[in-house]
Amino acid sequence: MSKKFVIKDIQLAEALGITNQKLHDIQVFFDSNDEDEWELIKGKDYTFQAGHRIYTYEGAYAIAEYLHSTEKANLFQRLKEWITNFKKKLRQSLVKQKIVDIIDSPGKLITVNNYHFISKNDIVSILGTNHARINTAFDEIKRTDKPLIADTEYIEYEGNRYYSMKGFFKISRHLGENLTRKNRRDWCEDVERVGDKTVNKIIYTWNNWQQEIDRSKRFVRNTRDKKKCRVCGKKASNSQLAGIVHLAVHHLYSQAHYPQLAASPDNLITLTVNIHGEFHSWMGGNQKRCTIDDFVEFINERYPECDDVKVWLNQKKMILGTPEITTIKSKKLLSPQSM
């Protein structure tokens, strides 16, 4: 059995059908006499964490064996069933966390025709397998009466294969039925069992976050900046006589690298589409990390006469402080502290 410390004392008491006080008394008895046959070794059978004893499976069975020999019968089967269920819940919790760790970031899921797709690389990471086994599973499913459907369950995108959630779960189900090692089969089966709700929660959270960003952008563009570029002062217009002016709302600290500031109006500035494109070209591309200091340098170099925007940017810099680059996950992203 594993030497991991996994069972909290109050969970063990529940599994054995005794009170927390009864378990405490047994623990005291085990600790009181080093000469008797009953022994729990700290660091091997249990450890302390936040005021609780956390037992290994071996430590839990030692308690059960004592109760079995002194008071109650049939405790081993009861504890075995409880640990089996506990292990299942623990494994499913780890599966959920693995999914979150792998795909809970901007750009990890791509959307095509209202389907969300995940890359084969990420599927390999989540399932703990390799590319060759995923390819084999794909080919094996292809020979069944329910092969994966192109453009719905998988797509080829930028030279890589992506799977929709339905396609992903077909792969995980197939591996759960066909892998040799039981622990790998159990893991892949659990990906299908808990994956759908986990992925949907991630999608829901990111969609809400993006909607919040879009609301902030509309407020900044239409209300705060009155549909005018902060740099050149041009106002949005569809009039052919006045010349068409299209506006964009720019993140002073780039959204991908500073997601905690993405919905903050203080981090947003209205620009003409041309100036916005000019800045990102000056930076070396849209994917480059940018900060308010980069934008100030750009203004000093390309628009040195725009004193008003320099003063405005300095004010925003004082408000925003010096944020850290982060890979904040969606659960934390929408917390009040982050917004």
Side-chain angles (χ1 to χ4, degrees), residues 103 107-119 123 151-155 162-169 196 199-204 206-207:
I103 69 172
K108 281 292 188 175
L109 295 175
I110 65 171
T111 306
V112 179
N113 297 328
N114 294 320
Y115 291 101
H116 295 281
F117 290 84
I118 178 176
S119 73
I123 287 178
D151 299 326
T152 300
E153 295 178 337
Y154 75 95
I155 59 172
Y162 283 71
Y163 292 87
S164 69
M165 294 304 106
K166 187 176 180 181
F168 172 32
F169 298 138
D196 195 38
V199 173
N200 283 337
K201 286 180 180 178
I202 292 171
I203 292 170
Y204 175 79
W206 281 105
N207 284 345

Side-chain angles (χ1 to χ4, degrees), residues 102 108 118-126 131 160-161:
I102 297 298
K108 281 292 188 175
I118 178 176
S119 73
K120 185 168 69 172
N121 286 339
D122 288 339
I123 287 178
V124 166
S125 297
I126 292 170
H131 285 266
N160 296 304
R161 180 171 291 168

Side-chain angles (χ1 to χ4, degrees), residues 96 194 281:
K96 291 177 184 178
V194 305
S281 178

Side-chain angles (χ1 to χ4, degrees), residues 4 33 65 67 102 111 116 119 135 139-140 154 167 186 189 226 237-238 271 273 290 307-308 312 320 325 332:
K4 291 182 179 178
N33 188 352
E65 186 177 8
L67 281 169
I102 297 298
T111 306
H116 295 281
S119 73
N135 291 339
D139 292 336
E140 289 171 347
Y154 75 95
D186 290 344
E189 287 174 358
K226 298 179 173 60
S237 172
N238 292 323
L271 307 170
V273 168
C290 62
D307 293 331
D308 288 346
W312 184 87
L320 296 170
I325 300 173
K332 188 175 180 183

Side-chain angles (χ1 to χ4, degrees), residues 58-75:
E58 293 89 344
Y61 273 110
I63 298 287
E65 186 177 8
Y66 170 77
L67 281 169
H68 180 78
S69 66
T70 58
E71 299 179 25
K72 297 184 178 183
N74 301 320
L75 280 179

